[in-house]
Amino acid sequence: MKCAILSIGTELLMGQILNTNSKYLSEELNNLGIGVYYHHTVGDNPKRLEALIKETFKNVDMIITTGGLGPTQDDLTKDIISKIFNREMIKDEYSYERIKGYFKRRKKAMSPNNIRQAYMPKDSIILENNYGTAPGFILEEKEKIIICLPGPPREMKNMFNDQVIKYIMDKEKNYIHSKTIRLFGIGESSLEENIMDLIRKQKNPTIATYAKEGEVSIRITSSSKDEEEAKYLVDNMIKNIYEKVGKYIYSTDNEELIDVVVKKLKEKSLTLSLAESCTGGMIGSKFTDIPGVSNYFDRSLVTYSNRAKEEELGVKKHILKEFGAVSRQTAESMVIGLKRKTKSDICLSVTGIAGPDGGTDEKPVGLVYISLLYGKIMVTRRFYFTGDRNKIRIYTMLSGLNMIKEVL
Amino acid sequence: MKCAILSIGTELLMGQILNTNSKYLSEELNNLGIGVYYHHTVGDNPKRLEALIKETFKNVDMIITTGGLGPTQDDLTKDIISKIFNREMIKDEYSYERIKGYFKRRKKAMSPNNIRQAYMPKDSIILENNYGTAPGFILEEKEKIIICLPGPPREMKNMFNDQVIKYIMDKEKNYIHSKTIRLFGIGESSLEENIMDLIRKQKNPTIATYAKEGEVSIRITSSSKDEEEAKYLVDNMIKNIYEKVGKYIYSTDNEELIDVVVKKLKEKSLTLSLAESCTGGMIGSKFTDIPGVSNYFDRSLVTYSNRAKEEELGVKKHILKEFGAVSRQTAESMVIGLKRKTKSDICLSVTGIAGPDGGTDEKPVGLVYISLLYGKIMVTRRFYFTGDRNKIRIYTMLSGLNMIKEVL
């Protein structure tokens, strides 16, 4: 099935908001085995919208629209589509009650515009909106399908995941199964080299690799008439990938590195403290992103200046002078001081040169030392990261998390 | 002039990357007074690209393409456009030398594909690429204009800013001047109410408001045949806006709050230390985003647990017990302990409930205390933020930065 995604909204054409819906839907549709051939965006303009839908249907079987369903947009999308498909608008009692309930719960008045949101093209499949007022809908006619979703990403995503995927799978008479493996410590191109034979042979399941700031992931998607077979195909492929790059895999459930680390801290009831220099609090901030982490995360001492390293962590002046703030000796001295102070089960220190200035031939920008202390284990690693200041800091953070993960 | 933006690349249709180029170009073009009527995205497919360009030119005068110029994409865009406009491809010696130089500097071999990048449609205006190998170009014919830019955002943006804006301004015989004001402490809707009469009257200059995570900004854009007049129109509008909402304005040069704070610390040669609880290092990380901040930023003590607050900052057990970790008393005790320890000129402490759990009727999620100590000034503020954990943490960070800005 050939598909196009049509985003409706003048604010997109003004550049006021980023179109994340098209990316999201494209990724999901590709995983369902639906080819996306076009993204189009048009403003809240009836004539141009009508012309674009008609033109687009010349090239594809299915259009998914987002936006133009809100109460202030005069139900633009619904009106135009009911016109194109020649359907009258009928009040949908179920949607009407839902919208009424939505306003009642929020103790707000319902405007005539909101009532209009309950009118839907005749014989459409109505999609409930569990996160807002505008219902979506699906219309089918003469081998053509149009699926209309609201614009706000949260409403759109939930409607798509909960209702549209099922519709498409039924339509295609196919069960789709998808899993995402996450890896750290291997680049995308070297990952692809390692699993090249699997990628070459791929057909069902399909394999797609993605890279994002130091982490790479592999999405494996199978399709089958039979649910069990779809799952088996994916699991079997994961086994094959494990054989090749297993040591880099930290999750087969699309978890982030931080989630895996915190899960392990919880499982083992361990406490953690940090001493951060070049990351400046970024690692602590990452841990405290996670609700309820306070039982495991004790503190982070962001010792940016040398004086702070001396005072907070007891790093000796002569060490800073002789070896420098960015050195194995300082990193180890930091982590020992941190342990002495906090008694946390796991202590981690980082010190490095994030740039763009401050690098020398001997100690270039991107040089980072990370030390970890856990029981009797003390590990110190030296890294040379490339990229801008932000990238070096993020790589440092991820490498620190990875070192914690490795000892747990 | 009516314009469409055409993004070329299968990776966009696969949902592998987010289309930030269309947003960027739309915002810039709107500021230049050019109306953007469509965004289209098509894959690396010659037939569909050709058909889409032809179809799009039925509705607009100008198309800006991004992507499809890279060495691995077989110069898809150039080939199709030279075909549509019926122009032969000619080797551009200047581009050739530049590409050769690019590889020489990087000590890399030049492939035949790279040589092809120097071939351009006859009589096109060539756009230099200062950040990559693929030059862009502009073709004009029969009142239609096509501007082809590379896909990587950094290459695209620099080419657009340095060369395309000038081309468009010459074309429009107009000088465009634009400035962005940044505000903190006022919501977008209340800002709009306050400057409603200015927005209503707007024509030249135009006024657009934008909101992003707690900060709002106003972009003022004028156009005139005369450069001086364009500048005067903007400056005069800024004066009018100052009269209405001046107390919320922290920059008329589109600077971020953190940049304004660090600039002031530098000007006054002051040092800063932080004691963070609910932000968990986020504020320290924000400061250390900025290169060379180490002369002003001493340390951040991320005291997430009560024990850390006691040990690091000398917060008394009975204060934590009697008033709780999230209280005026704890915040003030934290900042006093921080000052005693660090002697930094400015000390700031934050403690709050970021949620989603941990709130009570008396102390709901979103309750945050921030204390600041500067010389003899001690300020403590209580906030009630709404939103999810991330939003509450970001608002806390921004409010802390704003409190520092206010005393400087």
Side-chain angles (χ1 to χ4, degrees), chain A residues 13-15 23 26 30 39-41 48 280 284-285 288-289 298-300 302 304-305 307 311-312 341-342 389 393, chain B residues 13-15 23 26 30 38-41 280 284-285 288-289 298-300 302 304-305 307 311-312 341-342 389 393:
Chain A
L13 296 179
M14 298 288 285
K23 176 188 188 299
S26 296
N30 276 288
H39 295 170
H40 297 304
T41 303
R48 284 195 284 275
S285 183
T288 56
D289 270 349
D298 177 22
R299 73 194 82 171
S300 175
V302 181
Y304 211 63
S305 67
R307 193 164 74 88
E311 291 177 7
E312 297 295 337
K341 214 175 184 183
T342 63
R389 185 176 177 85
R393 282 156 50 99
Chain B
L13 296 179
M14 297 289 285
K23 177 188 188 299
S26 295
N30 276 287
Y38 302 95
H39 296 170
H40 298 304
T41 303
S285 183
T288 56
D289 270 349
D298 177 20
R299 76 193 81 172
S300 175
V302 180
Y304 210 62
S305 67
R307 193 164 75 88
E311 290 178 6
E312 297 295 338
K341 212 175 185 185
T342 63
R389 185 177 176 86
R393 282 156 51 98

Short mmCIF file of all heavy atoms in Angstrom, two decimals, chain A residues 13-15 23 26 30 39-41 48 280 284-285 288-289 298-300 302 304-305 307 311-312 341-342 389 393, chain B residues 13-15 23 26 30 38-41 280 284-285 288-289 298-300 302 304-305 307 311-312 341-342 389 393:
data_model
loop_
_atom_site.label_atom_id
_atom_site.label_comp_id
_atom_site.label_asym_id
_atom_site.label_seq_id
_atom_site.Cartn_x
_atom_site.Cartn_y
_atom_site.Cartn_z
N LEU A 13 3.74 26.16 8.23
CA LEU A 13 4.29 26.90 7.09
C LEU A 13 4.95 28.20 7.53
O LEU A 13 5.77 28.77 6.81
CB LEU A 13 3.18 27.21 6.07
CG LEU A 13 2.54 25.99 5.41
CD1 LEU A 13 1.45 26.44 4.45
CD2 LEU A 13 3.58 25.17 4.65
N MET A 14 4.55 28.69 8.72
CA MET A 14 5.19 29.89 9.26
C MET A 14 6.50 29.54 9.96
O MET A 14 7.25 30.42 10.36
CB MET A 14 4.27 30.57 10.28
CG MET A 14 2.94 31.06 9.74
SD MET A 14 3.13 32.51 8.69
CE MET A 14 3.44 33.77 9.94
N GLY A 15 6.74 28.25 10.13
CA GLY A 15 7.96 27.83 10.83
C GLY A 15 7.87 27.98 12.33
O GLY A 15 8.88 28.02 13.02
N LYS A 23 7.50 12.61 10.93
CA LYS A 23 8.58 11.66 11.24
C LYS A 23 8.01 10.46 12.01
O LYS A 23 8.29 9.31 11.67
CB LYS A 23 9.66 12.33 12.08
CG LYS A 23 10.74 11.36 12.52
CD LYS A 23 11.70 11.98 13.52
CE LYS A 23 12.89 11.07 13.80
NZ LYS A 23 12.56 9.78 14.37
N SER A 26 5.88 8.24 9.81
CA SER A 26 6.68 7.56 8.80
C SER A 26 7.38 6.36 9.38
O SER A 26 7.40 5.27 8.80
CB SER A 26 7.74 8.52 8.24
OG SER A 26 7.11 9.57 7.58
N ASN A 30 6.43 2.58 8.20
CA ASN A 30 7.45 1.73 7.61
C ASN A 30 7.57 0.43 8.38
O ASN A 30 7.78 -0.64 7.79
CB ASN A 30 8.79 2.47 7.56
CG ASN A 30 8.89 3.36 6.33
OD1 ASN A 30 9.03 2.86 5.21
ND2 ASN A 30 8.79 4.66 6.51
N HIS A 39 5.57 13.40 2.01
CA HIS A 39 5.04 14.24 3.09
C HIS A 39 4.60 15.54 2.42
O HIS A 39 5.37 16.11 1.63
CB HIS A 39 6.13 14.64 4.09
CG HIS A 39 6.72 13.51 4.86
ND1 HIS A 39 7.84 13.69 5.65
CD2 HIS A 39 6.37 12.21 4.99
CE1 HIS A 39 8.14 12.53 6.24
NE2 HIS A 39 7.29 11.62 5.84
N HIS A 40 3.40 15.99 2.74
CA HIS A 40 2.97 17.30 2.26
C HIS A 40 2.50 18.12 3.45
O HIS A 40 1.93 17.58 4.40
CB HIS A 40 1.79 17.18 1.29
CG HIS A 40 2.09 16.42 0.04
ND1 HIS A 40 3.12 16.77 -0.80
CD2 HIS A 40 1.50 15.34 -0.53
CE1 HIS A 40 3.14 15.93 -1.83
NE2 HIS A 40 2.16 15.05 -1.69
N THR A 41 2.73 19.42 3.39
CA THR A 41 2.16 20.31 4.40
C THR A 41 1.46 21.45 3.69
O THR A 41 1.99 22.02 2.73
CB THR A 41 3.27 20.91 5.30
OG1 THR A 41 4.00 19.85 5.90
CG2 THR A 41 2.68 21.79 6.38
N ARG A 48 -6.70 25.16 -1.17
CA ARG A 48 -5.42 24.49 -1.38
C ARG A 48 -5.43 23.08 -0.77
O ARG A 48 -4.86 22.15 -1.33
CB ARG A 48 -4.29 25.33 -0.78
CG ARG A 48 -3.93 26.53 -1.64
CD ARG A 48 -2.59 27.14 -1.26
NE ARG A 48 -2.69 27.93 -0.04
CZ ARG A 48 -3.07 29.20 0.01
NH1 ARG A 48 -3.41 29.84 -1.10
NH2 ARG A 48 -3.13 29.85 1.15
N GLY A 280 29.76 18.90 34.45
CA GLY A 280 29.14 20.04 35.16
C GLY A 280 27.78 19.80 35.77
O GLY A 280 27.03 20.74 35.98
N GLY A 284 24.38 13.96 36.95
CA GLY A 284 23.43 14.03 38.05
C GLY A 284 22.03 14.37 37.56
O GLY A 284 21.03 13.78 37.98
N SER A 285 21.97 15.31 36.63
CA SER A 285 20.69 15.72 36.07
C SER A 285 20.00 14.56 35.35
O SER A 285 18.79 14.39 35.43
CB SER A 285 20.91 16.90 35.13
OG SER A 285 19.69 17.36 34.62
N THR A 288 18.53 12.27 37.96
CA THR A 288 17.37 12.84 38.65
C THR A 288 16.23 13.18 37.69
O THR A 288 15.19 13.65 38.12
CB THR A 288 17.78 14.09 39.46
OG1 THR A 288 18.41 15.02 38.59
CG2 THR A 288 18.74 13.70 40.56
N ASP A 289 16.42 12.93 36.40
CA ASP A 289 15.30 12.92 35.45
C ASP A 289 14.28 11.87 35.85
O ASP A 289 13.11 11.96 35.51
CB ASP A 289 15.78 12.48 34.05
CG ASP A 289 16.22 13.65 33.21
OD1 ASP A 289 15.97 14.79 33.62
OD2 ASP A 289 16.82 13.42 32.14
N ASP A 298 22.58 9.49 45.73
CA ASP A 298 22.83 10.29 46.92
C ASP A 298 23.15 11.74 46.58
O ASP A 298 22.43 12.65 46.95
CB ASP A 298 23.97 9.64 47.73
CG ASP A 298 24.34 10.46 48.96
OD1 ASP A 298 23.49 11.24 49.42
OD2 ASP A 298 25.47 10.31 49.45
N ARG A 299 24.23 11.95 45.84
CA ARG A 299 24.61 13.34 45.52
C ARG A 299 25.57 13.37 44.33
O ARG A 299 26.15 12.36 43.95
CB ARG A 299 25.24 14.01 46.73
CG ARG A 299 26.64 13.54 47.06
CD ARG A 299 27.10 13.99 48.44
NE ARG A 299 26.59 13.09 49.47
CZ ARG A 299 26.97 13.12 50.76
NH1 ARG A 299 27.84 14.02 51.18
NH2 ARG A 299 26.49 12.26 51.62
N SER A 300 25.74 14.55 43.77
CA SER A 300 26.79 14.79 42.78
C SER A 300 27.54 16.03 43.20
O SER A 300 26.92 17.07 43.45
CB SER A 300 26.21 14.98 41.39
OG SER A 300 27.24 15.32 40.48
N VAL A 302 29.69 18.74 41.86
CA VAL A 302 30.16 19.33 40.60
C VAL A 302 31.33 20.24 40.94
O VAL A 302 31.14 21.40 41.30
CB VAL A 302 29.04 20.10 39.90
CG1 VAL A 302 29.54 20.68 38.60
CG2 VAL A 302 27.84 19.18 39.66
N TYR A 304 33.92 22.14 39.59
CA TYR A 304 34.39 22.66 38.31
C TYR A 304 35.76 23.32 38.47
O TYR A 304 36.62 23.16 37.63
CB TYR A 304 33.36 23.66 37.78
CG TYR A 304 33.32 23.70 36.27
CD1 TYR A 304 32.95 22.58 35.55
CD2 TYR A 304 33.66 24.85 35.57
CE1 TYR A 304 32.92 22.59 34.17
CE2 TYR A 304 33.64 24.88 34.19
CZ TYR A 304 33.27 23.75 33.50
OH TYR A 304 33.25 23.77 32.15
N SER A 305 35.94 24.05 39.57
CA SER A 305 37.23 24.72 39.78
C SER A 305 38.18 23.78 40.50
O SER A 305 37.76 22.81 41.14
CB SER A 305 37.01 25.98 40.62
OG SER A 305 36.62 25.63 41.93
N ARG A 307 39.88 24.61 43.10
CA ARG A 307 39.65 24.81 44.53
C ARG A 307 38.53 23.89 45.02
O ARG A 307 38.63 23.28 46.09
CB ARG A 307 39.28 26.28 44.80
CG ARG A 307 39.34 26.66 46.29
CD ARG A 307 39.36 28.16 46.47
NE ARG A 307 38.04 28.76 46.23
CZ ARG A 307 37.10 28.90 47.17
NH1 ARG A 307 37.30 28.49 48.40
NH2 ARG A 307 35.93 29.44 46.86
N GLU A 311 38.74 21.22 47.97
CA GLU A 311 37.92 21.36 49.17
C GLU A 311 36.87 20.26 49.31
O GLU A 311 36.63 19.76 50.39
CB GLU A 311 37.23 22.73 49.19
CG GLU A 311 38.21 23.88 49.39
CD GLU A 311 37.51 25.23 49.34
OE1 GLU A 311 36.26 25.27 49.28
OE2 GLU A 311 38.22 26.24 49.35
N GLU A 312 36.23 19.94 48.20
CA GLU A 312 35.12 18.98 48.28
C GLU A 312 35.61 17.54 48.30
O GLU A 312 34.98 16.67 48.89
CB GLU A 312 34.15 19.16 47.11
CG GLU A 312 33.45 20.51 47.06
CD GLU A 312 32.52 20.72 48.23
OE1 GLU A 312 32.08 19.72 48.83
OE2 GLU A 312 32.25 21.89 48.57
N LYS A 341 33.92 10.47 51.55
CA LYS A 341 32.90 11.40 52.05
C LYS A 341 31.52 10.78 52.11
O LYS A 341 30.80 10.91 53.08
CB LYS A 341 32.85 12.57 51.07
CG LYS A 341 32.55 13.88 51.70
CD LYS A 341 32.65 14.97 50.65
CE LYS A 341 32.45 16.30 51.28
NZ LYS A 341 32.46 17.38 50.30
N THR A 342 31.15 10.10 51.03
CA THR A 342 29.74 9.71 50.87
C THR A 342 29.46 8.27 51.32
O THR A 342 28.32 7.95 51.64
CB THR A 342 29.32 9.77 49.38
OG1 THR A 342 30.11 8.82 48.65
CG2 THR A 342 29.54 11.14 48.81
N ARG A 389 31.68 20.72 21.98
CA ARG A 389 31.60 20.68 23.44
C ARG A 389 30.42 19.84 23.94
O ARG A 389 30.57 18.99 24.82
CB ARG A 389 31.46 22.12 23.95
CG ARG A 389 31.46 22.27 25.45
CD ARG A 389 31.42 23.76 25.84
NE ARG A 389 31.36 23.91 27.27
CZ ARG A 389 32.42 23.92 28.07
NH1 ARG A 389 33.62 23.77 27.56
NH2 ARG A 389 32.29 24.05 29.37
N ARG A 393 30.57 16.23 25.99
CA ARG A 393 29.94 16.08 27.30
C ARG A 393 28.94 14.93 27.31
O ARG A 393 28.86 14.15 28.28
CB ARG A 393 29.27 17.41 27.72
CG ARG A 393 30.28 18.43 28.24
CD ARG A 393 29.82 19.88 28.14
NE ARG A 393 28.50 20.15 28.66
CZ ARG A 393 28.25 20.66 29.87
NH1 ARG A 393 29.24 20.96 30.68
NH2 ARG A 393 27.02 20.91 30.25
N LEU B 13 11.40 10.08 4.53
CA LEU B 13 10.16 9.30 4.37
C LEU B 13 10.19 8.02 5.20
O LEU B 13 9.14 7.45 5.51
CB LEU B 13 9.95 8.95 2.89
CG LEU B 13 9.73 10.13 1.95
CD1 LEU B 13 9.55 9.63 0.52
CD2 LEU B 13 8.52 10.95 2.36
N MET B 14 11.40 7.58 5.55
CA MET B 14 11.52 6.42 6.42
C MET B 14 11.33 6.81 7.89
O MET B 14 11.26 5.96 8.76
CB MET B 14 12.90 5.76 6.26
CG MET B 14 13.20 5.22 4.89
SD MET B 14 12.23 3.74 4.52
CE MET B 14 13.10 2.52 5.53
N GLY B 15 11.32 8.11 8.14
CA GLY B 15 11.20 8.58 9.52
C GLY B 15 12.50 8.46 10.30
O GLY B 15 12.50 8.47 11.52
N LYS B 23 11.25 23.79 8.68
CA LYS B 23 10.91 24.76 9.72
C LYS B 23 11.83 25.97 9.64
O LYS B 23 11.39 27.11 9.64
CB LYS B 23 11.01 24.13 11.11
CG LYS B 23 10.73 25.14 12.22
CD LYS B 23 11.01 24.60 13.60
CE LYS B 23 10.56 25.54 14.70
NZ LYS B 23 11.20 26.86 14.71
N SER B 26 11.17 28.07 6.54
CA SER B 26 9.87 28.73 6.62
C SER B 26 9.94 29.98 7.49
O SER B 26 9.44 31.04 7.13
CB SER B 26 8.83 27.79 7.21
OG SER B 26 8.63 26.71 6.36
N ASN B 30 9.43 33.67 5.91
CA ASN B 30 8.35 34.53 6.40
C ASN B 30 8.89 35.87 6.89
O ASN B 30 8.28 36.91 6.70
CB ASN B 30 7.56 33.82 7.51
CG ASN B 30 6.50 32.90 6.93
OD1 ASN B 30 5.49 33.37 6.42
ND2 ASN B 30 6.73 31.60 6.97
N TYR B 38 3.61 25.66 0.74
CA TYR B 38 3.67 24.20 0.84
C TYR B 38 5.02 23.74 1.36
O TYR B 38 6.04 24.38 1.10
CB TYR B 38 3.48 23.53 -0.54
CG TYR B 38 2.19 23.88 -1.24
CD1 TYR B 38 2.14 24.90 -2.18
CD2 TYR B 38 1.02 23.16 -0.97
CE1 TYR B 38 0.95 25.23 -2.82
CE2 TYR B 38 -0.16 23.48 -1.61
CZ TYR B 38 -0.19 24.52 -2.53
OH TYR B 38 -1.36 24.84 -3.16
N HIS B 39 5.00 22.64 2.09
CA HIS B 39 6.20 21.83 2.30
C HIS B 39 5.93 20.50 1.60
O HIS B 39 4.87 19.91 1.83
CB HIS B 39 6.43 21.49 3.78
CG HIS B 39 6.71 22.65 4.67
ND1 HIS B 39 6.74 22.52 6.04
CD2 HIS B 39 6.99 23.94 4.41
CE1 HIS B 39 7.01 23.70 6.58
NE2 HIS B 39 7.15 24.58 5.61
N HIS B 40 6.87 20.05 0.81
CA HIS B 40 6.75 18.71 0.24
C HIS B 40 8.01 17.92 0.55
O HIS B 40 9.10 18.49 0.59
CB HIS B 40 6.61 18.77 -1.29
CG HIS B 40 5.39 19.49 -1.77
ND1 HIS B 40 4.12 19.14 -1.38
CD2 HIS B 40 5.23 20.53 -2.63
CE1 HIS B 40 3.23 19.93 -1.96
NE2 HIS B 40 3.89 20.79 -2.73
N THR B 41 7.85 16.63 0.73
CA THR B 41 9.03 15.75 0.86
C THR B 41 8.86 14.58 -0.07
O THR B 41 7.78 13.99 -0.16
CB THR B 41 9.15 15.22 2.31
OG1 THR B 41 9.22 16.30 3.21
CG2 THR B 41 10.40 14.36 2.46
N GLY B 280 18.89 18.57 40.34
CA GLY B 280 19.83 17.45 40.24
C GLY B 280 21.09 17.68 39.42
O GLY B 280 21.69 16.73 38.93
N GLY B 284 23.85 23.50 37.05
CA GLY B 284 25.30 23.45 36.85
C GLY B 284 25.64 23.07 35.43
O GLY B 284 26.51 23.66 34.80
N SER B 285 24.91 22.10 34.90
CA SER B 285 25.16 21.65 33.53
C SER B 285 24.91 22.78 32.53
O SER B 285 25.63 22.93 31.55
CB SER B 285 24.26 20.45 33.23
OG SER B 285 24.51 19.95 31.96
N THR B 288 27.87 25.12 32.67
CA THR B 288 29.08 24.56 32.08
C THR B 288 28.90 24.17 30.61
O THR B 288 29.84 23.70 29.98
CB THR B 288 29.56 23.35 32.91
OG1 THR B 288 28.49 22.39 33.00
CG2 THR B 288 29.97 23.77 34.31
N ASP B 289 27.72 24.39 30.07
CA ASP B 289 27.55 24.35 28.61
C ASP B 289 28.43 25.41 27.95
O ASP B 289 28.77 25.28 26.77
CB ASP B 289 26.10 24.75 28.23
CG ASP B 289 25.17 23.57 28.17
OD1 ASP B 289 25.67 22.44 28.21
OD2 ASP B 289 23.94 23.79 28.09
N ASP B 298 32.14 28.17 40.21
CA ASP B 298 33.03 27.43 41.09
C ASP B 298 32.59 25.97 41.21
O ASP B 298 33.31 25.05 40.85
CB ASP B 298 33.05 28.11 42.46
CG ASP B 298 33.90 27.35 43.46
OD1 ASP B 298 34.75 26.56 43.02
OD2 ASP B 298 33.71 27.55 44.68
N ARG B 299 31.36 25.76 41.70
CA ARG B 299 30.91 24.38 41.90
C ARG B 299 29.39 24.32 42.06
O ARG B 299 28.75 25.33 42.32
CB ARG B 299 31.60 23.75 43.13
CG ARG B 299 31.07 24.22 44.45
CD ARG B 299 31.98 23.84 45.62
NE ARG B 299 33.10 24.79 45.72
CZ ARG B 299 33.99 24.79 46.75
NH1 ARG B 299 33.90 23.89 47.70
NH2 ARG B 299 34.95 25.68 46.79
N SER B 300 28.85 23.12 41.93
CA SER B 300 27.46 22.88 42.27
C SER B 300 27.41 21.65 43.16
O SER B 300 27.98 20.62 42.81
CB SER B 300 26.61 22.64 41.02
OG SER B 300 25.29 22.30 41.40
N VAL B 302 25.15 18.95 44.30
CA VAL B 302 23.85 18.33 44.03
C VAL B 302 23.52 17.45 45.23
O VAL B 302 23.94 16.30 45.30
CB VAL B 302 23.89 17.53 42.72
CG1 VAL B 302 22.52 16.91 42.47
CG2 VAL B 302 24.30 18.41 41.57
N TYR B 304 20.99 15.54 46.75
CA TYR B 304 19.67 14.99 46.45
C TYR B 304 19.08 14.34 47.70
O TYR B 304 17.90 14.49 47.98
CB TYR B 304 19.81 13.97 45.31
CG TYR B 304 18.57 13.87 44.47
CD1 TYR B 304 18.12 14.98 43.74
CD2 TYR B 304 17.85 12.70 44.37
CE1 TYR B 304 16.98 14.90 42.97
CE2 TYR B 304 16.71 12.61 43.59
CZ TYR B 304 16.28 13.72 42.90
OH TYR B 304 15.15 13.64 42.13
N SER B 305 19.90 13.66 48.47
CA SER B 305 19.39 13.02 49.68
C SER B 305 19.46 13.99 50.86
O SER B 305 20.19 14.99 50.82
CB SER B 305 20.24 11.78 50.00
OG SER B 305 21.55 12.18 50.36
N ARG B 307 20.74 13.28 53.72
CA ARG B 307 22.06 13.13 54.30
C ARG B 307 23.07 14.04 53.59
O ARG B 307 23.91 14.68 54.23
CB ARG B 307 22.51 11.66 54.20
CG ARG B 307 23.73 11.32 55.03
CD ARG B 307 23.90 9.82 55.20
NE ARG B 307 24.40 9.19 53.99
CZ ARG B 307 25.70 9.06 53.72
NH1 ARG B 307 26.61 9.49 54.57
NH2 ARG B 307 26.08 8.47 52.61
N GLU B 311 25.39 16.80 55.29
CA GLU B 311 26.85 16.68 55.27
C GLU B 311 27.52 17.76 54.43
O GLU B 311 28.56 18.28 54.79
CB GLU B 311 27.24 15.30 54.74
CG GLU B 311 26.90 14.17 55.70
CD GLU B 311 27.24 12.80 55.13
OE1 GLU B 311 27.85 12.73 54.04
OE2 GLU B 311 26.88 11.81 55.78
N GLU B 312 26.91 18.04 53.28
CA GLU B 312 27.57 18.98 52.37
C GLU B 312 27.30 20.43 52.73
O GLU B 312 28.14 21.30 52.50
CB GLU B 312 27.11 18.74 50.92
CG GLU B 312 27.45 17.38 50.34
CD GLU B 312 28.95 17.18 50.20
OE1 GLU B 312 29.67 18.19 50.14
OE2 GLU B 312 29.38 16.01 50.18
N LYS B 341 30.84 27.53 52.90
CA LYS B 341 31.82 26.61 52.34
C LYS B 341 32.62 27.20 51.19
O LYS B 341 33.83 27.04 51.12
CB LYS B 341 31.03 25.40 51.82
CG LYS B 341 31.75 24.10 51.90
CD LYS B 341 30.82 22.99 51.47
CE LYS B 341 31.50 21.66 51.67
NZ LYS B 341 30.69 20.57 51.16
N THR B 342 31.91 27.85 50.28
CA THR B 342 32.53 28.23 49.01
C THR B 342 33.05 29.66 48.99
O THR B 342 33.94 29.97 48.20
CB THR B 342 31.51 28.12 47.85
OG1 THR B 342 30.45 29.06 48.09
CG2 THR B 342 30.93 26.72 47.77
N ARG B 389 7.41 16.45 35.19
CA ARG B 389 8.68 16.54 35.91
C ARG B 389 9.72 17.37 35.17
O ARG B 389 10.37 18.25 35.74
CB ARG B 389 9.20 15.10 36.13
CG ARG B 389 10.45 14.99 36.97
CD ARG B 389 10.82 13.52 37.18
NE ARG B 389 12.08 13.42 37.91
CZ ARG B 389 12.16 13.43 39.24
NH1 ARG B 389 11.08 13.55 39.97
NH2 ARG B 389 13.34 13.34 39.84
N ARG B 393 11.32 21.02 36.32
CA ARG B 393 12.76 21.21 36.51
C ARG B 393 13.29 22.34 35.64
O ARG B 393 14.14 23.13 36.07
CB ARG B 393 13.49 19.89 36.21
CG ARG B 393 13.39 18.88 37.37
CD ARG B 393 13.57 17.43 36.94
NE ARG B 393 14.74 17.16 36.15
CZ ARG B 393 15.90 16.68 36.62
NH1 ARG B 393 16.04 16.43 37.90
NH2 ARG B 393 16.90 16.44 35.82
#
